[in-house]
Amino acid sequence: MENQLICPNCNAVLSNNPIPLHQKMLNLYEKEIHMVLAEISVIPIGCNGQSPNEVAAVQDIIQKTGLIFTPTQYGACIQGGWNEIAPVIFACYEQIQKQSPQGFVRVAIR
């Protein structure tokens, strides 16, 4: 029993795993919200640099989520928890692929 690791916060006995996780630590992690700021931009290819329909579609998808966002010329900046934003990014990507298979979505995350 000499090699047991003890959690300094709750005195729980942890495993010898180099990254010890026990239930109390998992619960704290699940409650933590990872706030991010993401910029989504539609990059038109094969449509003479014009993409008003694609940009409008992306902005509509984001607006329907209720997340905080600011429209931009080629997309939007959105703010929220990572778990909220990730599905929105994917939905925008899917929409652009339907409308313009050669276009793509650029995402910057901070």
Side-chain angles (χ1 to χ4, degrees), residues 59-72:
Q59 291 174 347
D60 286 344
I61 289 169
I62 295 168
Q63 187 173 17
K64 289 176 185 176
T65 66
L67 293 172
I68 298 168
F69 82 102
T70 303
T72 64

Side-chain angles (χ1 to χ4, degrees), residues 11-59:
N11 293 326
V13 176
L14 306 174
S15 69
N16 290 331
N17 188 334
I19 304 173
L21 293 175
H22 66 292
Q23 194 58 46
K24 201 165 197 177
M25 288 177 162
L26 286 174
N27 290 342
L28 288 173
Y29 177 76
E30 289 170 358
K31 291 179 187 174
E32 185 178 334
I33 297 174
H34 300 282
M35 296 298 287
V36 295
L37 177 64
E39 177 192 8
I40 300 175
S41 300
V42 175
I43 311 289
I45 295 179
C47 55
N48 298 328
Q50 302 296 318
S51 59
N53 294 336
E54 289 85 352
V55 172
V58 165
Q59 291 174 347

